[in-house]
mmCIF file of all heavy atoms in Angstrom:
data_model
loop_
_atom_site.group_PDB
_atom_site.id
_atom_site.type_symbol
_atom_site.label_atom_id
_atom_site.label_comp_id
_atom_site.label_asym_id
_atom_site.label_seq_id
_atom_site.Cartn_x
_atom_site.Cartn_y
_atom_site.Cartn_z
ATOM 1 N N THR A 6 17.405 -25.623 -6.178
ATOM 2 C CA THR A 6 16.882 -24.436 -6.864
ATOM 3 C C THR A 6 17.692 -24.116 -8.122
ATOM 4 O O THR A 6 17.137 -23.584 -9.088
ATOM 5 C CB THR A 6 16.828 -23.212 -5.932
ATOM 6 O OG1 THR A 6 18.122 -22.950 -5.391
ATOM 7 C CG2 THR A 6 15.839 -23.456 -4.805
ATOM 8 N N ARG A 7 18.979 -24.427 -8.124
ATOM 9 C CA ARG A 7 19.745 -24.238 -9.358
ATOM 10 C C ARG A 7 19.212 -25.163 -10.458
ATOM 11 O O ARG A 7 19.130 -24.788 -11.631
ATOM 12 C CB ARG A 7 21.226 -24.494 -9.133
ATOM 13 C CG ARG A 7 22.108 -23.994 -10.295
ATOM 14 C CD ARG A 7 23.565 -24.346 -10.059
ATOM 15 N NE ARG A 7 24.040 -23.896 -8.769
ATOM 16 C CZ ARG A 7 24.515 -22.677 -8.527
ATOM 17 N NH1 ARG A 7 24.558 -21.789 -9.509
ATOM 18 N NH2 ARG A 7 24.946 -22.351 -7.335
ATOM 19 N N LYS A 8 18.831 -26.369 -10.062
ATOM 20 C CA LYS A 8 18.269 -27.303 -11.049
ATOM 21 C C LYS A 8 16.903 -26.827 -11.538
ATOM 22 O O LYS A 8 16.570 -26.981 -12.715
ATOM 23 C CB LYS A 8 18.208 -28.710 -10.468
ATOM 24 C CG LYS A 8 19.600 -29.336 -10.368
ATOM 25 C CD LYS A 8 19.571 -30.730 -9.811
ATOM 26 C CE LYS A 8 20.976 -31.337 -9.942
ATOM 27 N NZ LYS A 8 22.016 -30.534 -9.283
ATOM 28 N N LEU A 9 16.117 -26.238 -10.646
ATOM 29 C CA LEU A 9 14.856 -25.647 -11.090
ATOM 30 C C LEU A 9 15.109 -24.546 -12.110
ATOM 31 O O LEU A 9 14.425 -24.464 -13.139
ATOM 32 C CB LEU A 9 14.069 -25.107 -9.900
ATOM 33 C CG LEU A 9 13.440 -26.132 -8.966
ATOM 34 C CD1 LEU A 9 12.913 -25.452 -7.706
ATOM 35 C CD2 LEU A 9 12.330 -26.907 -9.655
ATOM 36 N N ARG A 10 16.089 -23.709 -11.830
ATOM 37 C CA ARG A 10 16.395 -22.614 -12.755
ATOM 38 C C ARG A 10 16.936 -23.148 -14.086
ATOM 39 O O ARG A 10 16.753 -22.518 -15.133
ATOM 40 C CB ARG A 10 17.406 -21.662 -12.121
ATOM 41 C CG ARG A 10 16.877 -20.914 -10.903
ATOM 42 C CD ARG A 10 17.908 -19.906 -10.406
ATOM 43 N NE ARG A 10 17.543 -19.346 -9.110
ATOM 44 C CZ ARG A 10 16.692 -18.350 -8.919
ATOM 45 N NH1 ARG A 10 16.084 -17.808 -9.967
ATOM 46 N NH2 ARG A 10 16.434 -17.890 -7.711
ATOM 47 N N THR A 11 17.588 -24.295 -14.031
ATOM 48 C CA THR A 11 18.134 -24.891 -15.258
ATOM 49 C C THR A 11 17.055 -25.565 -16.082
ATOM 50 O O THR A 11 16.972 -25.367 -17.304
ATOM 51 C CB THR A 11 19.224 -25.920 -14.906
ATOM 52 O OG1 THR A 11 20.313 -25.247 -14.265
ATOM 53 C CG2 THR A 11 19.730 -26.635 -16.155
ATOM 54 N N TYR A 12 16.209 -26.353 -15.412
ATOM 55 C CA TYR A 12 15.326 -27.257 -16.150
ATOM 56 C C TYR A 12 13.936 -26.698 -16.443
ATOM 57 O O TYR A 12 13.353 -27.002 -17.483
ATOM 58 C CB TYR A 12 15.195 -28.580 -15.398
ATOM 59 C CG TYR A 12 16.469 -29.388 -15.376
ATOM 60 C CD1 TYR A 12 17.044 -29.778 -14.174
ATOM 61 C CD2 TYR A 12 17.101 -29.769 -16.555
ATOM 62 C CE1 TYR A 12 18.222 -30.532 -14.140
ATOM 63 C CE2 TYR A 12 18.273 -30.516 -16.533
ATOM 64 C CZ TYR A 12 18.826 -30.887 -15.324
ATOM 65 O OH TYR A 12 19.980 -31.624 -15.304
ATOM 66 N N LEU A 13 13.378 -25.893 -15.551
ATOM 67 C CA LEU A 13 12.023 -25.408 -15.812
ATOM 68 C C LEU A 13 11.931 -24.589 -17.104
ATOM 69 O O LEU A 13 10.969 -24.754 -17.867
ATOM 70 C CB LEU A 13 11.495 -24.598 -14.628
ATOM 71 C CG LEU A 13 11.082 -25.386 -13.376
ATOM 72 C CD1 LEU A 13 10.432 -24.457 -12.363
ATOM 73 C CD2 LEU A 13 10.152 -26.540 -13.710
ATOM 74 N N PRO A 14 12.892 -23.725 -17.399
ATOM 75 C CA PRO A 14 12.777 -22.950 -18.642
ATOM 76 C C PRO A 14 12.835 -23.794 -19.918
ATOM 77 O O PRO A 14 12.457 -23.304 -20.991
ATOM 78 C CB PRO A 14 13.971 -21.984 -18.566
ATOM 79 C CG PRO A 14 14.249 -21.835 -17.109
ATOM 80 C CD PRO A 14 13.993 -23.203 -16.550
ATOM 81 N N THR A 15 13.292 -25.045 -19.830
ATOM 82 C CA THR A 15 13.369 -25.888 -21.029
ATOM 83 C C THR A 15 12.004 -26.343 -21.514
ATOM 84 O O THR A 15 11.858 -26.777 -22.659
ATOM 85 C CB THR A 15 14.214 -27.149 -20.763
ATOM 86 O OG1 THR A 15 13.514 -28.018 -19.852
ATOM 87 C CG2 THR A 15 15.578 -26.788 -20.199
ATOM 88 N N GLY A 16 10.991 -26.294 -20.626
ATOM 89 C CA GLY A 16 9.671 -26.813 -20.979
ATOM 90 C C GLY A 16 9.568 -28.315 -20.896
ATOM 91 O O GLY A 16 8.528 -28.883 -21.230
ATOM 92 N N ARG A 17 10.632 -28.975 -20.418
ATOM 93 C CA ARG A 17 10.617 -30.441 -20.352
ATOM 94 C C ARG A 17 10.089 -30.981 -19.031
ATOM 95 O O ARG A 17 9.906 -32.190 -18.890
ATOM 96 C CB ARG A 17 12.021 -30.989 -20.605
ATOM 97 C CG ARG A 17 12.557 -30.706 -22.005
ATOM 98 C CD ARG A 17 13.820 -31.500 -22.284
ATOM 99 N NE ARG A 17 14.908 -31.176 -21.398
ATOM 100 C CZ ARG A 17 15.867 -30.294 -21.654
ATOM 101 N NH1 ARG A 17 15.848 -29.610 -22.798
ATOM 102 N NH2 ARG A 17 16.837 -30.064 -20.784
ATOM 103 N N VAL A 18 9.857 -30.109 -18.041
ATOM 104 C CA VAL A 18 9.320 -30.550 -16.750
ATOM 105 C C VAL A 18 7.801 -30.429 -16.792
ATOM 106 O O VAL A 18 7.259 -29.341 -16.990
ATOM 107 C CB VAL A 18 9.905 -29.710 -15.599
ATOM 108 C CG1 VAL A 18 9.260 -30.120 -14.269
ATOM 109 C CG2 VAL A 18 11.418 -29.881 -15.528
ATOM 110 N N GLY A 19 7.122 -31.548 -16.587
ATOM 111 C CA GLY A 19 5.668 -31.543 -16.673
ATOM 112 C C GLY A 19 4.947 -31.572 -15.344
ATOM 113 O O GLY A 19 3.740 -31.312 -15.287
ATOM 114 N N HIS A 20 5.671 -31.873 -14.262
ATOM 115 C CA HIS A 20 5.006 -32.002 -12.956
ATOM 116 C C HIS A 20 6.079 -31.932 -11.883
ATOM 117 O O HIS A 20 7.199 -32.418 -12.070
ATOM 118 C CB HIS A 20 4.275 -33.353 -12.874
ATOM 119 C CG HIS A 20 3.385 -33.501 -11.686
ATOM 120 N ND1 HIS A 20 2.204 -32.808 -11.535
ATOM 121 C CD2 HIS A 20 3.490 -34.286 -10.577
ATOM 122 C CE1 HIS A 20 1.616 -33.162 -10.397
ATOM 123 N NE2 HIS A 20 2.378 -34.044 -9.799
ATOM 124 N N LEU A 21 5.755 -31.318 -10.752
ATOM 125 C CA LEU A 21 6.647 -31.263 -9.594
ATOM 126 C C LEU A 21 6.016 -32.007 -8.426
ATOM 127 O O LEU A 21 4.791 -32.101 -8.317
ATOM 128 C CB LEU A 21 6.910 -29.821 -9.161
ATOM 129 C CG LEU A 21 7.683 -28.898 -10.108
ATOM 130 C CD1 LEU A 21 7.820 -27.524 -9.469
ATOM 131 C CD2 LEU A 21 9.044 -29.469 -10.439
ATOM 132 N N GLN A 22 6.872 -32.518 -7.543
ATOM 133 C CA GLN A 22 6.414 -33.110 -6.287
ATOM 134 C C GLN A 22 7.341 -32.668 -5.163
ATOM 135 O O GLN A 22 8.510 -32.354 -5.393
ATOM 136 C CB GLN A 22 6.382 -34.640 -6.375
ATOM 137 C CG GLN A 22 5.281 -35.161 -7.295
ATOM 138 C CD GLN A 22 5.294 -36.668 -7.424
ATOM 139 O OE1 GLN A 22 6.344 -37.287 -7.541
ATOM 140 N NE2 GLN A 22 4.109 -37.278 -7.403
ATOM 141 N N ILE A 23 6.804 -32.665 -3.942
ATOM 142 C CA ILE A 23 7.567 -32.207 -2.781
ATOM 143 C C ILE A 23 7.335 -33.113 -1.595
ATOM 144 O O ILE A 23 6.315 -33.804 -1.489
ATOM 145 C CB ILE A 23 7.190 -30.759 -2.385
ATOM 146 C CG1 ILE A 23 5.686 -30.655 -2.103
ATOM 147 C CG2 ILE A 23 7.625 -29.768 -3.452
ATOM 148 C CD1 ILE A 23 5.276 -29.317 -1.484
ATOM 149 N N ALA A 24 8.301 -33.091 -0.675
ATOM 150 C CA ALA A 24 8.204 -33.738 0.638
ATOM 151 C C ALA A 24 9.405 -33.283 1.443
ATOM 152 O O ALA A 24 10.440 -32.889 0.887
ATOM 153 C CB ALA A 24 8.197 -35.267 0.513
ATOM 154 N N GLY A 25 9.279 -33.342 2.764
ATOM 155 C CA GLY A 25 10.412 -33.022 3.615
ATOM 156 C C GLY A 25 11.516 -34.051 3.463
ATOM 157 O O GLY A 25 11.259 -35.253 3.342
ATOM 158 N N VAL A 26 12.745 -33.565 3.491
ATOM 159 C CA VAL A 26 13.920 -34.428 3.347
ATOM 160 C C VAL A 26 14.666 -34.470 4.687
ATOM 161 O O VAL A 26 14.902 -33.420 5.287
ATOM 162 C CB VAL A 26 14.866 -33.862 2.254
ATOM 163 C CG1 VAL A 26 16.075 -34.792 2.054
ATOM 164 C CG2 VAL A 26 14.119 -33.655 0.935
ATOM 165 N N PRO A 27 15.041 -35.651 5.195
ATOM 166 C CA PRO A 27 15.042 -36.944 4.514
ATOM 167 C C PRO A 27 13.905 -37.885 4.882
ATOM 168 O O PRO A 27 13.847 -39.004 4.381
ATOM 169 C CB PRO A 27 16.369 -37.543 5.011
ATOM 170 C CG PRO A 27 16.444 -37.079 6.436
ATOM 171 C CD PRO A 27 15.864 -35.677 6.432
ATOM 172 N N ASP A 28 12.993 -37.477 5.773
ATOM 173 C CA ASP A 28 12.027 -38.427 6.324
ATOM 174 C C ASP A 28 10.712 -38.508 5.560
ATOM 175 O O ASP A 28 9.832 -39.279 5.912
ATOM 176 C CB ASP A 28 11.736 -38.079 7.786
ATOM 177 C CG ASP A 28 12.968 -38.225 8.660
ATOM 178 O OD1 ASP A 28 13.741 -39.178 8.430
ATOM 179 O OD2 ASP A 28 13.170 -37.385 9.564
ATOM 180 N N ARG A 29 10.564 -37.702 4.531
ATOM 181 C CA ARG A 29 9.377 -37.686 3.677
ATOM 182 C C ARG A 29 8.101 -37.350 4.449
ATOM 183 O O ARG A 29 7.020 -37.874 4.173
ATOM 184 C CB ARG A 29 9.221 -39.003 2.909
ATOM 185 C CG ARG A 29 8.445 -38.802 1.608
ATOM 186 C CD ARG A 29 8.581 -39.971 0.664
ATOM 187 N NE ARG A 29 7.898 -39.664 -0.587
ATOM 188 C CZ ARG A 29 7.935 -40.445 -1.664
ATOM 189 N NH1 ARG A 29 8.624 -41.560 -1.647
ATOM 190 N NH2 ARG A 29 7.298 -40.089 -2.746
ATOM 191 N N HIS A 30 8.239 -36.451 5.396
ATOM 192 C CA HIS A 30 7.074 -35.905 6.078
ATOM 193 C C HIS A 30 6.722 -34.562 5.430
ATOM 194 O O HIS A 30 7.061 -34.317 4.270
ATOM 195 C CB HIS A 30 7.359 -35.749 7.572
ATOM 196 C CG HIS A 30 7.586 -37.049 8.284
ATOM 197 N ND1 HIS A 30 6.842 -38.176 8.027
ATOM 198 C CD2 HIS A 30 8.495 -37.402 9.250
ATOM 199 C CE1 HIS A 30 7.249 -39.172 8.798
ATOM 200 N NE2 HIS A 30 8.251 -38.735 9.542
ATOM 201 N N GLU A 31 6.024 -33.694 6.160
ATOM 202 C CA GLU A 31 5.594 -32.406 5.625
ATOM 203 C C GLU A 31 6.776 -31.610 5.061
ATOM 204 O O GLU A 31 7.896 -31.709 5.588
ATOM 205 C CB GLU A 31 4.908 -31.595 6.727
ATOM 206 C CG GLU A 31 3.507 -32.057 7.066
ATOM 207 C CD GLU A 31 3.432 -33.280 7.963
ATOM 208 O OE1 GLU A 31 4.499 -33.827 8.334
ATOM 209 O OE2 GLU A 31 2.319 -33.700 8.307
ATOM 210 N N PRO A 32 6.545 -30.836 4.023
ATOM 211 C CA PRO A 32 7.651 -30.100 3.408
ATOM 212 C C PRO A 32 8.240 -28.990 4.261
ATOM 213 O O PRO A 32 9.311 -28.479 3.921
ATOM 214 C CB PRO A 32 7.026 -29.532 2.120
ATOM 215 C CG PRO A 32 5.562 -29.546 2.360
ATOM 216 C CD PRO A 32 5.298 -30.709 3.253
ATOM 217 N N ASP A 33 7.595 -28.611 5.353
ATOM 218 C CA ASP A 33 8.200 -27.610 6.239
ATOM 219 C C ASP A 33 9.066 -28.267 7.313
ATOM 220 O O ASP A 33 9.466 -27.614 8.281
ATOM 221 C CB ASP A 33 7.142 -26.699 6.870
ATOM 222 C CG ASP A 33 6.104 -27.461 7.687
ATOM 223 O OD1 ASP A 33 6.024 -28.700 7.554
ATOM 224 O OD2 ASP A 33 5.362 -26.804 8.431
ATOM 225 N N THR A 34 9.372 -29.552 7.149
ATOM 226 C CA THR A 34 10.300 -30.248 8.035
ATOM 227 C C THR A 34 11.524 -30.666 7.224
ATOM 228 O O THR A 34 11.476 -30.793 6.002
ATOM 229 C CB THR A 34 9.657 -31.500 8.650
ATOM 230 O OG1 THR A 34 9.361 -32.449 7.609
ATOM 231 C CG2 THR A 34 8.370 -31.154 9.380
#
């Protein structure tokens, strides 16, 4: 979230993706 706060305001992020860490299942895991 610190990186989101750093990078999103720059306008250089064009797309986000998500997955649960570390097994890449649903994001609520």
Side-chain angles (χ1 to χ4, degrees):
T6 57
R7 194 183 307 274
K8 287 181 172 57
L9 288 170
R10 294 185 190 278
T11 296
Y12 292 123
L13 286 187
T15 69
R17 295 191 298 265
V18 176
H20 189 70
L21 294 180
Q22 290 177 318
I23 57 170
V26 182
D28 296 322
R29 206 165 184 174
H30 295 319
E31 285 79 359
D33 59 345
T34 65

